Amino acid sequence: MTDSVTPTPVGEPSTGYEPAVVERKWQARWHERKANSPDIANAKRPYYSLMMFPYPSAEGLHVGNLFAFTGCDIHGRFQRLLGHSVFEPFGYDAFGIHSENYAIKIGVHPGELIPKNIDNFRRQVLKTGLMIDWSHELSTTDPKYYKWTQWVFLQLYKAGLAYKKKAAVNWCPFDKTVLANEQVIAGACERCGTMVEQRFLEQWFFRITDYAERLLKNLDHLDWSESTKTAQRNWIGKSEGAEITFVVQDMMEFAGSAMVSEGSGEVTSSTVEIRVFTTRPDTIFGATYLVLSPEHPLVHSITTDEQRREVNAYVDQAGKQDLVTRKSTKEKTGVFTGAFATNPATHELIPIWIADYVLMEYGTGAIMAVPGHDARDHEFALKFDLPIIQVVAGAAPFDVKTEAFVETEGCHLIHSGKFNGLSIEDGKSAIINELAQHYAGRAVVNYRLHDWCISRQRYWGPPIPILYCEQCGVVPVPEDQLPVVLPHIDDFRPDDSGISPLARHEEWYVTKCPTCGGEARRETDVSDTFLDSAWYFLRYPNSDRDDVPFDRATMNKWLPVSTYIGGNEHAVLHLLYSRFTTMVLHDAGLLGFEEPYARFRAHGLIVREGAKMSKSKGNVVNPDEYIESWGADSFRTYLMFLGPYEEGGDFRDKGISGVKRFLDRLWRSVQDARRDGSADVDVTRKLHQTIKKVGEDIPRLSYNTAIAAMMEYMNTMRSGERTPHLDEVRPLVQMVSPFAPHIAEELWEQLGGEHSVFDSGWPAFDAALLVEDTMEMPVQVSGKRRGAIMVAKDVTQADALAAAMSEPGIAKFVIGEPKKIVFVPGRLLNIVV
RNA sequence: GCGAGAGUGGCGAAAUUGGCAGACGCACCAGACUUAGGAUCUGGCGCCGCAAGGCUUAGGGGUUCGAGUCCCCUCUCUCGCACCA
């Protein structure tokens, strides 16, 4: 009893609850007892409760972080009460451009800044009393961790899923550096204001598009928030359509030869073909021109001499635009190439244009324009006076000259030769079939998902474990030579070389080829932070192993993650990348499952007094201050009470006092509890109803209503200044424990509980006790409530009606014979007049 | 523009299947106990009305004995994606 809190003496006002004392005591105890470290190897009922690890910013923990963590912690603690061995690890996503930019801004090396930030985060997290197994803490910047991040890269490389290609990046010609899309503001560099250009650099990519179909299909079977699944589906962006070949008119032989001859798959050597992708092959009879992206490889070969000057100017100017402006909606621009192609359906010649509204990175980089039925093509056709033909019609007349007709439901084809009258769906397949017979088209599936660009010309990340040898070419670093340690360099800023800062350090990048022993050069790009976080959940359980990244038996025991909780901002990229990585490791035979997270829930966002929190507004909640003055238990419980967890809520400064009052009343209830006599019947019924409700609310993350239910029970238990019985109080302490673990532990100990409240099990409710035998039944007259009657729960319609009619307040509204009686047993009575 | 979600008292919010709208909490009002109250306890608290009663879940329409909940239309807000053919 050396470190216990002195109980308040009987007779004095029992205000003896001092959060700071209680919380310090139990945090120390949990630490001494290793209370939060499950037996990874031998746990009988493993439960992996995962929260998204944070980026350890210099500002310290944001209240949004705590909202996320606490929600996960409550879920985990509840599982623990249900008898699971819960593994709830914590770590830091500390590499990346975010840390690096901040370090540059304040002029400190990230290698010095990050450990300080991590210490601060750990201190703050410890104070909130999360059930974290600190023996498995990790940071992505630790060479012992990123050694295995590099290993993951090598597994992808071995599987043929990592490759290098040139890709467009935003380039600031003044700063001479690559910019991320979010660093481009209105087409200009956010730092110096210079207009940004696109540039092509060699980049490493992962072939995530090879997994597009699987990533999409598996979503159907995952227990995830529906909104998250929708976001992933949209991101993958599957569209089914057709690839159609248009033959460019041979300019030397002007007459007829460019037409596709019936049944001939052969093309003459002088024939140039343009392949387009469309989701609307049914509208091919309305395709009145073609458009190529300015980057399309055929642009220069098809352009006529007369048009060449104009085309070159347009292509040049398009290449100078930054990627952000290029991709945002603006007025249509374009230029005619002078060339024509044959529409394989109509056999008519249609002009070929170039316009930057067609993107090289989607489909084939070329489209057939159907201005009658596509808004973008329509806008373009109006501007350049190109023909607009209607080939789809609905019931009502429509003028496609003024607007594109995009409806398909209940519509049919017109002006489409032998396909006239077909529905859109039938038209699609019939036209694809017809084109296929003439080798002019085929059904094709396209995804908007692009391959994952993982290289960064930056410093603060794990070096990509690749060498370039003059003799052997691209050589992966042998696994036994990992990690490739990120060297501590002082000039870590990106500068006018435009390549990775590591490329300025010959002493680092010059090395020997492991294959031939000759001179080799290291890859000087580092990898994307998303790669660090794409596999961290695999590392946690085995973070104590140096010989392997993870061990198969442990993985099978603990994974997939039982419940993963995190923010919506990662609903797409992080979750998609970690799913992909897991699939690849599964396919390599390294994991026995291919989906990493069995259950995922996204929490909402917290605002303060109705306004978004931001540093510039100075309205950011500092968790330290609140924990200091109210205690972690009140802070945690309040965060969970202020709104529905999955929607977020409004942090109102005064609101926390209500929760603190509730915990104070809980404390006093334990101090004053009667031990003599027995519990009250009505209170006991309420208790069992509450146990049921809270036990149902917590698993579905409905924390605000669970807390409300406990408050309601508290009001019942103490109503009219009655002194609660011990048996009425004890289960409440258990129910409160996931939310307010410190006070619950303390009170549990005061109640004579052994060891820890979290070993006490979740209280059971007795279904027989839940229902009352009498009830107040509402009585409606013609659907309007006019009163209520006290009746037995199983009252018959006749008895209920008689009771209702004997109430003058009700009977006076029943004028004449009732037309109909609606009686819902045990619910209500409605007399329709 | 497309996609997702939301709109309920002074405020944050409840309302598993269509069945007493506003639980729980904040704020506010009154009272008790107090030398004192930013403690505690009791009661009140959607709007209009002295009352009987009427009105009320963004707005309009519909289905139903009965709609916050289901259907149609309109408006507003938040968050994603953003020329993806």
Side-chain angles (χ1 to χ4, degrees):
Chain A
M1 283 293 283
T2 48
D3 56 353
S4 84
V5 178
T6 315
T8 310
V10 182
E12 281 181 31
S14 37
T15 50
Y17 169 43
E18 282 181 62
V21 180
V22 173
E23 288 169 13
R24 213 179 304 126
K25 165 181 163 181
W26 284 96
Q27 284 165 15
R29 275 220 184 153
W30 294 330
H31 178 73
E32 285 158 23
R33 292 174 175 176
K34 301 195 191 326
N36 303 331
S37 299
D39 183 344
I40 296 288
N42 304 309
K44 289 222 173 58
R45 298 180 61 200
Y47 193 98
Y48 193 165
S49 173
L50 182 65
M51 52 190 90
M52 281 185 184
F53 65 168
Y55 150 69
S57 72
E59 293 86 41
L61 214 51
H62 188 269
V63 67
N65 294 133
L66 273 188
F67 183 69
F69 301 160
T70 305
C72 185
D73 190 56
I74 287 162
H75 185 81
R77 287 184 180 275
F78 178 68
Q79 295 300 328
R80 169 88 173 265
L81 281 159
L82 291 181
H84 290 112
S85 294
V86 178
F87 179 48
E88 197 173 282
F90 196 77
Y92 312 92
D93 189 17
F95 264 140
I97 201 162
H98 199 142
S99 310
E100 185 178 317
N101 284 349
Y102 187 78
I104 289 169
K105 193 170 143 199
I106 64 165
V108 180
H109 194 280
E112 282 150 29
L113 183 69
I114 289 299
K116 283 184 196 154
N117 292 355
I118 287 179
D119 287 345
N120 190 38
F121 261 61
R122 187 186 303 108
R123 175 190 66 79
Q124 290 187 296
V125 171
L126 275 165
K127 285 212 299 195
T128 63
L130 300 175
M131 195 176 63
I132 283 162
D133 181 353
W134 291 101
S135 64
H136 287 265
E137 188 188 25
L138 63 79
S139 165
T140 55
T141 54
D142 184 346
K144 284 182 177 158
Y145 180 84
Y146 71 70
K147 166 184 179 178
W148 300 113
T149 305
Q150 292 169 336
W151 175 88
V152 168
F153 177 95
L154 293 177
Q155 305 316 303
L156 279 128
Y157 184 84
K158 276 200 282 194
L161 295 166
Y163 68 99
K164 227 178 167 185
K165 74 164 184 198
K166 283 208 165 179
V169 292
N170 294 303
W171 177 258
C172 172
F174 181 83
D175 286 340
K176 295 189 175 126
T177 184
V178 172
L179 301 176
N181 278 351
E182 52 271 21
Q183 293 176 291
V184 181
I185 313 293
C189 171
E190 71 168 357
R191 283 193 283 174
C192 65
T194 312
M195 291 310 285
V196 169
E197 299 174 357
Q198 34 176 322
R199 222 189 206 205
F200 289 83
L201 290 181
E202 286 266 310
Q203 308 272 5
W204 279 98
F205 286 87
F206 285 159
R207 283 185 214 281
I208 191 171
T209 49
D210 283 7
Y211 284 73
E213 192 57 39
R214 215 157 134 199
L215 288 166
L216 185 65
K217 224 171 188 174
N218 281 6
L219 286 173
D220 297 343
H221 312 294
L222 292 177
D223 178 11
W224 286 23
S225 322
E226 218 33 62
S227 60
T228 310
K229 290 206 237 180
T230 307
Q232 295 230 336
R233 287 191 185 106
N234 291 344
W235 190 262
I236 295 167
K238 180 177 183 171
S239 23
E240 294 177 76
E243 207 169 88
I244 302 177
T245 305
F246 286 71
V247 178
V248 179
Q249 181 198 26
D250 189 325
M251 281 161 288
M252 306 312 285
E253 302 168 51
F254 199 77
S257 68
M259 313 284 272
V260 179
S261 43
E262 292 288 317
S264 140
E266 297 301 307
V267 286
T268 59
S269 57
S270 63
T271 308
V272 177
E273 294 182 337
I274 292 173
R275 292 179 307 116
V276 304
F277 174 72
T278 179
T279 52
R280 296 293 305 278
D282 52 300
T283 62
I284 189 162
F285 283 82
T288 53
Y289 61 101
L290 295 184
V291 188
L292 305 190
S293 165
E295 291 84 21
H296 197 284
L298 290 178
V299 164
H300 296 289
S301 52
I302 63 164
T303 300
T304 59
D305 291 340
E306 303 88 79
Q307 294 299 108
R308 192 165 304 281
R309 185 193 297 263
E310 215 181 314
V311 166
N312 285 347
Y314 185 79
V315 170
D316 269 10
Q317 169 261 328
K320 280 196 178 128
Q321 274 175 351
D322 67 285
L323 299 171
V324 179
T325 312
R326 171 70 189 283
K327 285 189 165 192
S328 62
T329 314
K330 51 161 188 174
E331 208 188 321
K332 297 278 179 290
T333 59
V335 61
F336 179 45
T337 61
F340 291 83
T342 307
N343 180 326
T346 62
H347 301 292
E348 278 170 19
L349 286 176
I350 57 174
I352 306 171
W353 284 68
I354 294 169
D356 65 0
Y357 81 93
V358 174
L359 309 173
M360 194 57 219
E361 60 280 13
Y362 185 75
T364 59
I367 62 156
M368 63 174 208
V370 184
H373 304 283
D374 181 281
R376 297 153 301 182
D377 297 344
H378 192 271
E379 190 191 336
F380 192 82
L382 279 191
K383 182 158 176 189
F384 294 104
D385 202 21
L386 292 155
I388 301 170
I389 302 174
Q390 181 172 10
V391 293
V392 175
F398 193 93
D399 181 14
V400 294
K401 301 286 179 215
T402 32
E403 203 187 336
F405 180 69
V406 294
E407 310 262 311
T408 55
E409 196 84 3
C411 296
H412 61 277
L413 297 183
I414 57 169
H415 300 142
S416 297
K418 62 177 173 181
F419 304 102
N420 281 345
L422 289 184
S423 73
I424 301 311
E425 274 319 297
D426 293 346
K428 275 182 185 173
S429 42
I431 287 174
I432 290 174
N433 276 337
E434 177 81 10
L435 290 169
Q437 278 174 31
H438 297 108
Y439 304 96
R442 63 194 172 96
V444 153
V445 172
N446 246 309
Y447 300 91
R448 58 188 307 176
L449 179 70
H450 290 8
D451 276 345
W452 175 12
C453 176
I454 63 125
S455 46
R456 297 289 179 274
Q457 292 73 47
R458 286 294 193 132
Y459 167 68
W460 193 234
I464 292 175
I466 288 288
L467 303 170
Y468 303 98
C469 167
E470 283 175 24
Q471 300 302 315
C472 315
V474 177
V475 180
V477 173
E479 290 180 15
D480 59 11
Q481 288 178 28
L482 297 179
V484 178
V485 175
L486 180 71
H488 186 102
I489 58 172
D490 289 326
D491 54 338
F492 59 87
R493 287 149 214 268
D495 70 2
D496 43 0
S497 65
I499 41 175
S500 167
L502 293 176
R504 297 193 292 265
H505 287 264
E506 210 179 303
E507 74 286 358
W508 182 76
Y509 69 68
V510 172
T511 184
K512 292 271 177 283
C513 171
T515 313
C516 70
E519 182 106 323
R521 181 192 161 100
R522 287 187 191 283
E523 171 63 65
T524 52
D525 284 359
V526 300
S527 60
D528 181 9
T529 340
F530 277 119
L531 182 59
D532 303 329
S533 58
W535 76 283
Y536 77 112
F537 48 92
L538 301 173
R539 181 62 181 161
Y540 273 138
N542 288 127
S543 62
D544 43 359
R545 295 277 298 265
D546 284 335
D547 54 334
V548 286
F550 45 78
D551 128 285
R552 184 143 184 162
T554 309
M555 291 299 101
N556 285 342
K557 190 177 191 63
W558 289 92
L559 281 98
V561 170
S562 315
T563 295
Y564 191 26
I565 290 180
N568 251 323
E569 67 276 18
H570 292 122
V572 176
L573 294 182
H574 161 62
L575 291 179
L576 202 64
Y577 291 153
S578 48
R579 292 179 61 214
F580 164 65
T581 306
T582 305
M583 278 179 196
V584 173
L585 294 173
H586 165 268
D587 292 353
L590 295 160
L591 293 172
F593 50 90
E594 62 174 46
E595 285 291 342
Y597 317 117
R599 185 167 180 258
F600 171 76
R601 292 292 181 275
H603 64 253
L605 228 69
I606 303 197
V607 299
R608 186 179 196 180
E609 308 285 345
K612 215 177 204 170
M613 274 180 265
S614 74
K615 260 190 293 176
S616 55
K617 279 190 213 144
N619 63 345
V620 176
V621 173
N622 179 347
D624 283 338
E625 286 169 21
Y626 281 85
I627 290 174
E628 178 83 12
S629 42
W630 297 94
D633 284 332
S634 292
F635 191 59
R636 288 169 58 110
T637 310
Y638 178 55
L639 285 178
M640 297 302 108
F641 184 59
L642 52 71
Y645 188 65
E646 288 173 85
E647 284 164 44
D650 192 356
F651 189 100
R652 297 173 72 257
D653 290 359
K654 284 182 173 160
I656 193 171
S657 60
V659 167
K660 175 66 164 45
R661 259 196 280 274
F662 169 68
L663 294 181
D664 283 344
R665 300 220 294 166
L666 179 66
W667 180 273
R668 266 180 277 126
S669 298
V670 171
Q671 315 309 315
D672 314 336
R674 285 184 293 120
R675 282 152 198 273
D676 56 314
S678 55
D680 180 90
V681 178
D682 290 327
V683 174
T684 304
R685 183 187 309 110
K686 185 74 183 171
L687 169 64
H688 284 252
Q689 288 166 346
T690 306
I691 292 171
K692 179 169 190 287
K693 168 128 182 87
V694 175
E696 286 167 354
D697 281 354
I698 294 180
R700 57 191 183 97
L701 273 48
S702 187
Y703 299 139
N704 56 334
T705 54
I707 295 164
M710 289 189 283
M711 287 172 162
E712 220 176 300
Y713 173 60
M714 174 78 80
N715 291 343
T716 305
M717 192 175 78
R718 297 179 64 91
S719 73
E721 295 186 74
R722 83 180 273 281
T723 307
H725 190 274
L726 203 62
D727 293 342
E728 296 163 1
V729 180
R730 193 184 286 113
L732 183 58
V733 172
Q734 290 170 293
M735 282 191 279
V736 161
S737 66
F739 298 87
H742 311 87
I743 189 175
E745 288 276 35
E746 179 63 26
L747 294 176
W748 188 251
E749 187 181 64
Q750 291 177 18
L751 289 166
E754 294 285 311
H755 197 64
S756 165
V757 68
F758 294 101
D759 294 328
S760 70
W762 185 254
F765 65 86
D766 181 347
L769 285 177
L770 294 176
V771 280
E772 290 170 80
D773 20 335
T774 58
M775 68 167 296
E776 194 190 59
M777 178 174 279
V779 179
Q780 300 180 335
V781 179
S782 297
K784 201 166 263 284
R785 187 183 197 270
R786 294 301 182 180
I789 47 174
M790 284 306 297
V791 288
K793 190 96 188 176
D794 56 356
V795 68
T796 61
Q797 175 173 330
D799 290 349
L801 187 58
M805 294 308 286
S806 66
E807 290 280 335
I810 296 169
K812 73 177 180 183
F813 290 99
V814 184
I815 301 145
E817 259 320 283
K819 281 200 206 116
K820 186 177 175 183
I821 306 294
V822 179
F823 179 67
V824 186
R827 264 262 141 84
L828 59 50
L829 176 68
N830 186 8
I831 304 164
V832 186
V833 293

